[in-house]
Amino acid sequence: SVLTRSALVENERRRYWLLKTLEPLRGRMLPACVLSRRKSNYTVLLPDYLLELTADPPQDRVYDPGHEVQVLLRDIDPFNGTICLKIV
């Protein structure tokens, strides 16, 4: 329906501007909280931005949900809505 499409467009618009705000932080460390661990990555929350994202795992550690970590903002593309994080 038109209302559903309108809500989707609004959500994408907000995500774009949020990622646009984060774009200058490329290459920097950000605080995060581990929400869950998967086979090949983690789900983390960036509390300063209320964003739930996936992050590549560190090579030598395993974190349980609730653990506070630092993530490296490796890449970000607001137009495509993608963000690439790595737990360090």
Side-chain angles (χ1 to χ4, degrees), residues 48-61:
D48 294 342
Y49 302 96
L50 296 178
L51 273 176
E52 187 176 313
L53 304 162
T54 59
D56 293 334
Q59 293 191 15
D60 58 347
R61 292 188 179 182

Side-chain angles (χ1 to χ4, degrees), residues 11-27 30 46 51-56 72-86:
N11 194 24
E12 289 299 315
R13 184 181 66 81
R14 287 181 187 191
R15 183 170 173 86
Y16 169 82
W17 286 109
L18 183 55
L19 295 184
K20 193 73 172 164
T21 302
L22 284 167
E23 199 171 23
L25 302 178
R26 182 183 283 129
L30 302 170
L46 298 182
L51 273 176
E52 187 176 313
L53 304 162
T54 59
D56 293 334
L72 173 65
L73 180 54
R74 292 182 359 190
D75 196 19
I76 188 165
D77 185 346
F79 186 73
N80 289 323
T82 58
I83 186 167
C84 199
L85 301 173
K86 180 176 173 93

